[in-house]
């Protein structure tokens, strides 16, 4: 990986994106869970209505892992099938003989069982770049073995995010990039950082060095902290 690519990835890891997404959610108190050969259903209610949902194998497995029981208030994301326990219903609090210290009681939800809810996802620009460049290998995001990412991919990411930002569906949050032992960078790296700081999407960069007068790596010049003078002029000490 080139020095410019390594720095680019660190810069884009320091820029967050908060994406708003509307999704269908089933939310209510579990009344009954029926799992047998003839019929498989989940009965959920709110203060206003009660509904029975047929369950597929994937949903049954998820419910088994969560160990759902009647009286618990849950939220199910329709698109992913993810089940989130919100707590146990106040109305059924007398039904439990033993209650742990971490047990949380919540009121039964009101209104409709199936509702549209806005969810927020926060990711970094670099994570979006990795997903777009490795469309068939999402494990690269966790292994860190991303390699070089083409500039076209980043340009497309920026264009898409700008459109989402205009529509109010995304918010870009430049963060902080901390570079320790900054005198170890060479003249090429400083040139890159100088240019990167002028970009619209640029984090706050904090640098640290314990050197006084030192040679700028890649040159024969001696400079304070080993930093090029034009770069040093832009720094608040």
């Amino acid at each position: 990986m080139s020095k410019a690519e390594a720095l680019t990835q660190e810069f884009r890891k320091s820029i967050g994106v908060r994406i708003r997404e509307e999704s269908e959610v089933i939310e209510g108190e579990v009344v009954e869970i029926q799992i047998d050969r003839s019929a498989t259903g989940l009965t959920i209610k709110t203060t206003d209505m009660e509904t029975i949902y047929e369950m597929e194998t994937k949903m049954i497995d998820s419910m088994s892992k969560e160990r759902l029981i009647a009286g618990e208030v849950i939220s199910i994301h329709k698109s992913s099938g993810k089940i989130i326990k919100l707590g146990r219903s106040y109305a059924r609090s007398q039904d439990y003989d033993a209650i742990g210290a971490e047990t949380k009681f919540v009121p039964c939800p009101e209104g409709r069982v199936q509702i549209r809810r806005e969810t927020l996802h926060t990711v970094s620009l670099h994570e979006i770049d990795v997903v777009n460049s490795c469309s068939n290998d999402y494990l690269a995001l966790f292994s860190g073995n991303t390699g070089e990412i083409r500039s076209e991919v980043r340009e497309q990411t920026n264009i898409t995010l700008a459109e989402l930002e205009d529509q109010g569906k995304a918010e870009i949050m430049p963060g902080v990039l901390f570079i320790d032992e900054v005198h170890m960078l060479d003249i090429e790296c400083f040139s890159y950082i100088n240019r990167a700081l002028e970009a619209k999407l640029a984090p706050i960069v904090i640098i640290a060095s314990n050197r006084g007068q030192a040679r700028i790596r890649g040159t024969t010049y001696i400079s304070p902290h080993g930093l090029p003078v034009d770069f040093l002029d832009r720094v608040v000490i």
Side-chain angles (χ1 to χ4, degrees), residues 35 39 48 51 82 118 150 159 165 172 175 202-203 210 220 234:
I35 302 175
D48 300 338
T51 309
K82 183 180 180 182
E118 186 181 85
R150 291 178 293 111
I159 292 169
E165 195 174 23
I172 298 174
N210 60 359
T220 57
R234 304 182 67 174

Side-chain angles (χ1 to χ4, degrees), residues 63-233:
M63 290 176 60
S64 300
K65 288 178 183 177
E66 294 293 335
R67 297 180 180 177
L68 284 186
I69 57 174
E72 288 185 311
V73 178
I74 63 171
S75 176
I76 304 173
H77 286 264
K78 281 194 72 177
S79 57
S80 62
K82 183 180 180 182
I83 300 173
I84 300 172
K85 287 185 181 181
L86 303 178
R88 290 182 179 175
S89 173
Y90 281 124
R92 302 287 290 269
S93 59
Q94 303 299 320
D95 296 356
Y96 304 103
D97 297 329
I99 299 172
E102 71 283 355
T103 302
K104 179 181 176 184
F105 286 97
V106 295
C108 180
E110 299 177 353
R112 297 178 61 82
V113 172
Q114 190 166 310
I115 56 176
R116 291 189 69 83
R117 175 163 292 171
E118 186 181 85
T119 54
L120 288 175
H121 309 282
T122 304
V123 293
S124 70
L125 276 184
H126 175 67
E127 289 172 336
I128 299 174
D129 293 338
V130 172
V131 171
N132 289 340
S133 64
C134 308
S135 56
N136 297 323
D137 185 13
Y138 291 98
L139 292 177
L141 195 60
F142 305 101
S143 66
N145 185 25
T146 58
E148 298 261 354
I149 296 174
R150 291 178 293 111
S151 59
E152 294 85 1
V153 172
R154 292 196 173 103
E155 287 172 10
Q156 187 57 49
T157 298
N158 293 346
I159 292 169
T160 303
L161 286 177
E163 292 173 355
L164 290 175
E165 195 174 23
D166 290 340
Q167 296 167 13
K169 295 181 179 179
E171 180 186 355
I172 298 174
M173 305 170 295
V176 177
L177 173 61
F178 185 89
I179 305 175
D180 198 8
E181 307 288 353
V182 71
H183 52 267
M184 296 297 292
L185 298 181
D186 63 16
I187 191 69
E188 293 178 12
C189 294
F190 288 122
S191 297
Y192 173 84
I193 294 173
N194 249 332
R195 189 171 68 253
L197 287 173
E198 295 172 358
K200 182 183 177 182
L201 297 177
I204 296 170
V205 178
I206 299 177
I207 58 179
S209 173
N210 60 359
R211 298 294 172 91
Q213 296 288 327
R215 182 175 64 85
I216 303 169
R217 290 171 68 92
T219 73
T220 57
Y221 296 105
I222 303 297
S223 177
H225 315 298
L227 305 179
V229 177
D230 61 332
F231 183 76
L232 192 60
D233 286 343

